[in-house]
Amino acid sequence: MKIEHIEKISEYLGIVESISADIRHSNSDDLLLFRGQNVDEPLLPKIAREYEDTKVYGNPYLYDLFTYEGMMLEDFKRRSRPNLTKEPISDWDWLTVAQHHGMHTRLLDWTENPLVGLFFARDPVMGNQHRVIWILRIGRKEIITPTKKTNPFGISRTQVFMPNIVSTRLVPQAGWFTIHKHNSKKDKFIALENNTKFKKLLTKVIVNKNITDMMKHLDLCGINSASLFADLDGLCKHINVKKVLHNRYFVRMPESKKSKKALKRDEAKSRHAP
């Protein structure tokens, strides 16, 4: 696994281009996927993160993770139907819908758009946590095609899949998923960066600077809440963020004592101008 550090969006895109060029020059058909995180946490699906956190504090469970995961999905199927415009045709689609609306599943979100990946690293963090963008270079043999005949809970290894478009948000977000294998003996999922098959395929990009300026550049490129979440919630969130990003007065700092004096002289002239 490679680790890179960036302070500018141009540095990030330079890393992406370098990996893309290597794919082209090697005549490979590998695919690049991106995942932005506002905290530097392991690449584990939601259901695993919650389960591991609870075990740390010694709270016992009535069921193992695999059993309770199935119970959660069955409960979602029973209760969600009145709110669905179209019923999913397979458990792959059911998992996609549940993940999309916030339920804890064995899926982990990715995108094939590097700028969308950067966008999802934007939210404020507490303390000294770093924002990170993960880049996954994946071979076609690791991509699985979901069908009615394949069971997402019976996979023999962690794989990647492109979901059916069960939500309009999946289109602008260019969404993909990794679906993680559950280790029944240890009752846990293995983080992607600790998976021997995936570790060498990952690049971890650490954002060392405030991401505000990067968000301005993304907005200029049409990457914002309004475009990625095509509903009124997304629009309102975009307007709230835009108020902060674009209504901030920029003060140019003087580069030297001479320029500082010149700045004061210009300010004095402007005050006495008719």
Side-chain angles (χ1 to χ4, degrees):
M1 178 178 69
K2 292 183 62 177
I3 298 178
E4 303 278 2
H5 294 261
I6 63 166
E7 292 187 358
K8 300 177 181 178
I9 194 170
S10 57
E11 295 172 343
Y12 170 57
L13 293 178
I15 294 169
V16 175
E17 172 54 28
S18 176
I19 301 173
S20 299
D22 185 62
I23 292 175
R24 292 194 304 271
H25 296 158
S26 60
N27 292 315
S28 169
D29 62 349
D30 287 356
L31 175 72
L32 287 184
L33 297 177
F34 307 87
R35 174 176 171 80
Q37 297 182 175
N38 66 338
V39 289
D40 188 0
E41 291 182 337
L43 289 170
L44 282 169
K46 288 180 183 177
I47 197 167
R49 277 175 269 159
E50 178 210 30
Y51 194 75
E52 291 299 318
D53 288 345
T54 306
K55 285 200 300 185
V56 167
Y57 292 100
N59 294 329
Y61 277 102
L62 291 174
Y63 305 98
D64 62 74
L65 185 55
F66 182 81
T67 301
Y68 199 74
E69 180 186 17
M71 293 168 64
M72 289 173 65
L73 187 62
E74 290 305 313
D75 196 29
F76 180 75
K77 289 178 181 180
R78 285 192 297 270
R79 296 170 179 264
S80 64
R81 282 183 169 88
N83 299 304
L84 298 174
T85 55
K86 185 178 180 182
E87 186 168 318
I89 61 174
S90 70
D91 278 350
W92 295 90
D93 290 353
W94 278 111
L95 281 173
T96 298
V97 175
Q99 171 80 4
H100 176 69
H101 288 283
M103 196 178 90
H104 294 182
T105 75
R106 64 172 58 200
L107 305 184
L108 192 65
D109 297 89
W110 295 82
T111 174
E112 60 185 69
N113 187 324
L115 296 181
V116 173
L118 176 59
F119 176 85
F120 281 106
R122 78 198 184 285
D123 288 332
V125 293
M126 299 298 290
N128 296 319
Q129 289 273 16
H130 288 295
R131 295 175 173 87
V132 298
I133 305 105
W134 289 94
I135 304 175
L136 174 62
R137 177 176 172 173
I138 194 73
R140 299 291 170 174
K141 62 181 179 180
E142 303 299 336
I143 298 174
I144 188 171
T145 301
T147 68
K148 291 182 180 180
K149 295 181 180 180
T150 55
N151 179 10
F153 300 103
I155 57 173
S156 59
R157 56 194 173 94
T158 298
Q159 289 182 289
V160 181
F161 77 97
M162 183 180 186
N164 292 320
I165 305 302
V166 294
S167 168
T168 54
R169 288 182 179 181
L170 286 172
V171 178
Q173 293 178 15
W176 283 69
F177 294 112
T178 43
I179 180 164
H180 294 242
K181 179 186 180 298
H182 176 257
N183 187 322
S184 57
K185 292 183 179 180
K186 297 183 178 180
D187 191 26
K188 64 186 298 184
F189 291 93
I190 305 300
L192 211 63
E193 70 272 21
N194 295 329
N195 186 311
T196 53
K197 289 188 177 181
F198 284 89
K199 186 174 182 179
K200 60 184 178 182
L201 306 175
L202 286 165
T203 299
K204 182 180 183 180
V205 181
I206 299 174
V207 182
N208 289 335
K209 200 173 182 181
N210 189 297
I211 207 168
T212 302
D213 287 341
M214 295 187 189
M215 290 301 104
K216 288 183 179 180
H217 293 145
L218 288 181
D219 191 31
L220 287 172
C221 297
I223 305 295
N224 52 52
S225 294
S227 63
L228 298 181
F229 302 92
D231 53 26
L232 291 179
D233 291 345
L235 174 61
C236 291
K237 190 170 185 178
H238 170 59
I239 292 173
N240 289 339
V241 172
K242 193 171 183 178
K243 177 193 69 175
V244 176
L245 289 180
H246 298 277
N247 197 36
R248 182 174 293 168
Y249 187 73
F250 179 74
V251 179
R252 182 176 65 85
M253 300 302 293
E255 298 176 0
S256 64
K257 290 182 179 180
K258 183 177 181 180
S259 60
K260 187 174 181 180
K261 291 180 181 178
L263 185 60
K264 286 184 177 180
R265 186 169 59 249
D266 291 343
E267 289 175 349
K269 287 182 179 178
S270 64
R271 283 197 297 270
H272 294 92

